[in-house]
Amino acid sequence: MTLKEFAKLVGMSPTTVSRALNGHPEVNEATRARLIAAARHHGYQPNAHARFLATGHASTIGCVIPIGGRNEIVNPIYADFLAGVGEECARRRFEINLTVVADQDQPDAYRALSSKGLIGGVIVQFPRHDDPRPALLDRIGMPFVVHGRVTGHDAPYTWVDVNNRRAFHRGTGFLAQLGHRRIALLNGDERLDFADRRRAGYLAGLAEAGLEADPALMAEGEMTVAFGYASTRRLLARPAGQRPTAILCAATMIATGVAQAAEEAGLVLGRDLSVLTFDDDLAYYANRAAVPVFSAMRSSVRVAGARCAALLIDRITGLRHDPVQELLEAELVLGRSTAPRPED
């Protein structure tokens, strides 16, 4: 069904219909609501080119997904992030374009999206230290929002991040208050900015508790069950008196691997070994029983995805011009996996 056909069907001009369905403020809300309901009833959906002509901007958000030996595209954390982006896009009548490229091809991918003109802006994900993408996007004039932050990028830009440093500082301090003195860290890839901030928070928590950092109790890698399992087996193989009594995990997937390795070793979480995880409140890895399986520093990545999309759409549509920074805080939730340090 074309715009003209739909406009004739509802008895209004094509211009009014187009403006109403594309969010123009001069159309009153009662008319807009009636036309949206009619469009849904009759299955009318304006195409991307028509929306571009009506609004002067592309109503599509781009997500460039780098594949560099990691599994972002099937990561449940990223799936929940995209769900949040999608919910906000649906609410604001925007679409999502996913582009999967090799790590080194990202600059060309952003330039191609910009030159085609059908992407209104992009969400930058998995930022690293001194990440060159914000500067590149500024140069080519592409609106963007960063999920996370880029240490070393001094120009103003819009970002949404969780306070990773504070969460891991607080988490380490919580374990220290339970009497733990050998606290291990199983972190994400520390080339990524969020993981570097988590390590900094962990080290600050140890220092505040008067504990010495031991490199043998720290590991970084892809946030998978396999990484948590293998790392825990290595930690538990250390001589008595050198094994950790508590493990701080960067993701629920890692904590699941820790639990598997601990069970194989005959240990009970919350009695013989304490585990505290960062919990993104995931749909697939839910940790929301009345008493959760894992004690966790909880922050919804789905909410972060929705906020990234909202801020980017505001920028694309001209509702916001100045950079916005939103720092979300993680909530400490007690579960069955933490307890005071067992007697040596």
Side-chain angles (χ1 to χ4, degrees):
M1 183 183 297
T2 66
L3 172 62
K4 287 184 178 180
E5 290 169 339
F6 178 68
K8 184 177 180 181
L9 186 66
V10 296
M12 303 188 76
S13 73
T15 300
T16 299
V17 170
S18 177
R19 288 179 178 275
L21 295 182
N22 288 290
H24 280 253
E26 61 267 28
V27 179
N28 72 65
E29 288 304 315
T31 300
R32 191 191 321 280
R34 183 165 65 85
L35 286 173
I36 289 173
R40 288 174 178 164
H41 177 74
H42 294 288
Y44 172 69
Q45 179 69 37
N47 63 44
H49 183 63
R51 287 198 299 273
F52 181 84
L53 294 176
T55 64
H57 61 74
S59 299
T60 303
I61 283 178
C63 295
V64 175
I65 306 170
I67 301 297
R70 301 183 304 278
N71 297 308
E72 288 89 347
I73 194 66
V74 294
N75 188 318
I77 298 174
Y78 188 54
D80 265 39
F81 177 81
L82 276 183
V85 173
E87 288 166 358
E88 184 64 18
C89 284
R91 192 179 73 82
R92 304 280 290 274
R93 300 185 61 78
F94 265 63
E95 298 177 357
I96 307 174
N97 179 85
L98 300 182
T99 304
V100 181
V101 298
D103 239 348
Q104 65 273 16
D105 295 335
Q106 288 186 80
D108 290 340
Y110 285 117
R111 292 188 185 98
L113 289 173
S114 178
S115 66
K116 289 176 183 177
L118 293 179
I119 299 293
V122 294
I123 298 176
V124 175
Q125 297 133 114
F126 320 112
R128 300 186 181 190
H129 327 297
D130 297 313
D131 198 304
R133 289 176 292 175
L136 168 66
L137 292 167
D138 276 336
R139 286 198 302 273
I140 65 178
M142 173 73 78
F144 69 93
V145 171
V146 177
H147 178 215
R149 283 175 281 175
V150 180
T151 301
H153 182 74
D154 296 327
Y157 64 101
T158 296
W159 53 260
V160 177
D161 197 10
V162 66
N163 197 335
N164 288 292
R165 192 182 192 282
R166 181 178 295 174
F168 276 66
H169 185 170
R170 184 183 181 192
T172 305
F174 167 70
L175 293 171
Q177 288 173 359
L178 290 175
H180 296 281
R181 294 294 176 263
R182 295 186 301 278
I183 303 170
L185 172 68
L186 300 185
N187 202 6
D189 182 347
E190 290 179 359
R191 294 174 297 176
L192 301 176
D193 201 83
F194 81 87
D196 186 63
R197 293 177 188 274
R198 291 180 182 183
R199 180 188 178 93
Y202 163 76
L203 294 175
L206 290 179
E208 186 174 80
L211 302 177
E212 186 175 347
D214 181 354
L217 297 182
M218 305 175 207
E220 59 165 310
E222 192 170 12
M223 296 190 299
T224 63
V225 173
F227 168 66
Y229 176 80
S231 299
T232 303
R233 286 189 54 130
R234 176 184 60 79
L235 290 168
L236 295 180
R238 290 170 59 80
Q242 296 181 28
R243 300 172 194 151
T245 61
I247 300 178
L248 186 58
C249 301
T252 309
M253 291 84 74
I254 297 175
T256 300
V258 173
Q260 291 177 0
E263 183 179 3
E264 283 186 8
L267 303 178
V268 176
L269 294 192
R271 187 189 72 186
D272 308 309
L273 179 69
S274 285
V275 175
L276 176 63
T277 185
F278 189 88
D279 176 8
D280 285 288
D281 196 14
L282 304 177
Y284 187 76
Y285 271 85
N287 184 42
R288 276 197 171 271
V291 180
V293 172
F294 295 111
S295 293
M297 298 163 290
R298 180 175 292 163
S299 178
S300 172
V301 71
R302 197 180 191 113
V303 169
R307 289 305 302 151
C308 284
L311 291 174
L312 182 55
I313 292 171
D314 285 352
R315 174 79 183 276
I316 293 168
T317 57
L319 294 177
R320 290 180 185 266
H321 300 283
D322 297 331
V324 177
Q325 293 84 38
E326 291 192 3
L327 188 59
L328 310 176
E329 295 293 343
E331 175 190 10
L332 180 60
V333 178
L334 298 184
R336 300 196 302 268
S337 65
T338 51
R341 176 176 62 90
E343 296 294 331
D344 291 327

